[in-house]
Amino acid sequence: MKKKYVVVTGGVLSGIGKGILSASIARVMKECGVEVNTLKIDPYLNIDAGTMNPNQHGEVFVTEDGYEADLDLGHYERFLGKDMRRENNMTAGQIFKAIIDKEREGSFLGATVQMVPHVTEEIKGRIRRIPGELIMIEIGGTVGDIEGEIFLEAIRELSVEEGSENFLFVHVTYVPYLRVTSEFKTKPTQQSVQLLRRIGIQPQMIAVRSEEPVEENELRKIALFGGVEREMVFNLPDSKNVYDVPSIVYSYGIHRKIATRLNLEIMERFEWDYPRNFIPSKIAIIGKYLGTDDAYKSISESICLCGASKPEVLDSQVFEDMTQEQIKNTLAEYEGLIIPGGFGKRGIEGKLAVIRYARENNVPILGICLGMQLMVIEYARNVAGLEGANSTEFDPATPYPVIDIMEEQKKILKLGGTMRLGAQETPIKVGTLLMEAYGASPVHERHRHRYEVNYEDFRDLFSEPDENLSGRLVISSKAAFVEAIELPGRDFFLGIQYHPEFGSKVGRPSPLFRLFVERVRGRKKD
């Protein structure tokens, strides 16, 4: 049996929810008994998302096999409940690099290397190798973007070669509401469909995104000018909870229409266990990337998947010039704090000041990656008395380099894809918060860093759990590699070198976030 493909394109503008819709359709089809896999195509020239600025593009999502991806792979993981891999993302940079490498190796036997057929064949070959019965393909950006044209051409060719009966094209478009004339405007949608047709692709389904429900007349107009049947046009107004979207997709019967078009046998079933009511919890992420709401996406979603309300993101720089009393007054309303990962010196002193506040006032705090390293720095400075203690990332001349670059990283000059990446074994010690969260040892969690705790030179800062020493940081480590630190005598003072947020899925949030939220709620009850 040939593979089936659902291809999701976008029109009018980007950022309207193609990833959420793709993930939702994939989940519904999975619930109906179909073996589903996904592919996100990003037409940019980067090899991966690893060097992209979170202020512009949102978080970098790390897969189990150590690939740095666009945040949409996070949507796919959370919704599908399935670990993504590097094969689930394709960029123009990967394709062009592969073509150039092959040309240099002489693989094209003297031929003139061209966009068609050489680039399109590389794209099609990679798509064909993705395992699964149904492949959901999301093409980033919008129709008409010059970067995406070659991918649309390759998929058009693939639909011809594999048979149009094995393809369904879903076009996601935005219909704005013009308040001056009190009407929805469908012309941009009509034009984006026309652009798609000029490329040689006729969508069979149109998903209409809007702020408010679109009226029936407009939907009929979109169907008429888009060349699709009215029952294949669906309106998806903004939803307060993105986890409602799979249920909406199911209620529209989109799964049945896909199955009919692609001749798939499905079971009529749908179980979707997700938080519907969020318990109000005042949790703050002390961050430094505030250019987009997606910079700390997986952390926010991990909190929400535990049934707590969405955390607020506060700018760490505002705390740099505050006294501890001012910080206490500013953060008094927050019941829990998270210090996320990041790179660079900006905003670091503000994060350190907040960590000190949490330590001295017994406020539940979770440090992730850089956050854990800053917990060590703050402890070294303000408890152990190592004035000027720092990371060599921020101060190469620090007299106390309690955080230093990993040995294997010192000879690496390139930045892309060179960190400690992907799932690594993490031992869990009995009697720690980690053991309370996981209940087993070892576990495998995803890493993304090139600096680490300098355990060899600063052993006196730490104690092993079985030493039963209070007042020093307790570590969980693998050899001399510190994976986590805890401070005894606190409700929740935990730092981890890895990123547990990337492992959260609907119905299965990360155990660490679940324990963190439980401790925050416990303090609230007290």
Side-chain angles (χ1 to χ4, degrees), residues 81-365:
K82 173 182 177 180
D83 290 338
M84 296 290 105
R85 303 182 63 82
R86 61 183 65 241
E87 67 195 20
N88 298 108
N89 186 220
M90 182 191 302
T91 73
Q94 293 171 8
I95 298 300
F96 292 138
K97 184 178 186 301
I99 293 295
I100 296 301
D101 288 346
K102 289 180 179 179
E103 188 275 331
R104 292 290 84 187
E105 294 166 359
S107 300
F108 297 117
L109 302 176
T112 300
V113 183
Q114 297 175 295
M115 298 295 282
V116 180
H118 299 101
V119 175
T120 52
E121 287 299 321
E122 179 70 23
I123 295 169
K124 290 184 290 183
R126 293 191 179 209
I127 293 175
R128 286 190 171 106
R129 290 195 293 271
I130 298 174
E133 181 183 4
L134 173 66
I135 313 300
M136 289 288 311
I137 301 175
E138 176 196 352
I139 302 178
T142 59
V143 174
D145 293 345
I146 192 169
E147 298 95 339
E149 289 182 358
I150 194 63
F151 291 99
L152 290 169
E153 169 59 22
I155 287 176
R156 184 199 66 79
E157 292 177 14
L158 189 65
S159 68
V160 173
E161 295 166 359
E162 298 296 314
S164 59
E165 70 277 8
N166 297 313
F167 274 76
L168 184 142
F169 289 91
V170 181
H171 191 56
V172 184
T173 182
Y174 178 69
V175 173
Y177 182 77
L178 198 61
R179 301 195 182 278
V180 175
T181 57
S182 300
E183 61 181 338
F184 289 99
K185 306 301 291 186
T186 65
K187 186 64 71 176
T189 292
Q190 296 174 39
Q191 292 175 338
S192 72
V193 173
Q194 289 171 9
L195 279 173
L196 199 56
R197 282 165 152 180
R198 290 172 192 167
I199 295 168
I201 295 174
Q202 169 62 54
Q204 289 89 33
M205 185 181 292
I206 298 177
V208 179
R209 289 283 291 110
S210 59
E211 294 182 52
E212 302 293 338
V214 175
E215 297 171 359
E216 176 63 25
N217 287 340
E218 277 68 32
L219 296 178
R220 289 186 179 279
K221 185 187 297 184
I222 290 169
L224 177 63
F225 289 100
V228 301
E229 299 170 355
R230 167 62 189 88
E231 57 265 29
M232 298 296 274
V233 177
F234 304 95
N235 182 209
L236 296 169
D238 287 349
S239 174
K240 292 182 179 179
N241 185 352
V242 296
Y243 298 107
D244 288 335
V245 179
S247 300
I248 296 170
V249 166
Y250 184 79
S251 68
Y252 274 140
I254 290 176
H255 58 295
R256 291 192 295 270
K257 298 181 187 301
I258 291 174
T260 299
R261 165 74 188 183
L262 300 179
N263 194 26
L264 282 169
E265 291 187 8
I266 62 172
M267 295 175 281
E268 190 66 36
R269 68 181 187 191
F270 182 65
E271 295 181 4
W272 183 232
D273 181 22
Y274 70 99
R276 290 166 172 80
N277 298 306
F278 298 100
I279 298 174
S281 301
K282 293 291 288 185
I283 296 173
I285 298 173
I286 311 301
K288 58 186 288 185
Y289 307 117
L290 284 81
T292 170
D293 291 340
D294 293 331
Y296 304 105
K297 188 68 174 177
S298 289
I299 294 176
S300 292
E301 294 305 313
S302 292
I303 295 293
C304 291
L305 289 175
C306 292
S309 53
K310 184 178 179 179
E312 297 178 40
V313 180
L314 306 181
D315 187 353
S316 64
Q317 289 182 276
V318 304
F319 299 102
E320 292 185 344
D321 298 323
M322 287 187 183
T323 65
Q324 280 295 301
E325 188 63 28
Q326 289 172 325
I327 293 174
K328 185 175 182 178
N329 292 335
T330 302
L331 296 178
E333 64 179 302
Y334 296 98
E335 302 149 354
L337 303 170
I338 297 174
I339 311 295
F343 300 91
K345 188 176 182 179
R346 180 178 60 83
I348 293 302
E349 292 300 322
K351 290 173 183 276
L352 288 167
V354 170
I355 292 170
R356 180 177 182 178
Y357 155 75
R359 178 180 56 79
E360 293 181 343
N361 293 275
N362 192 22
V363 177
I365 184 169

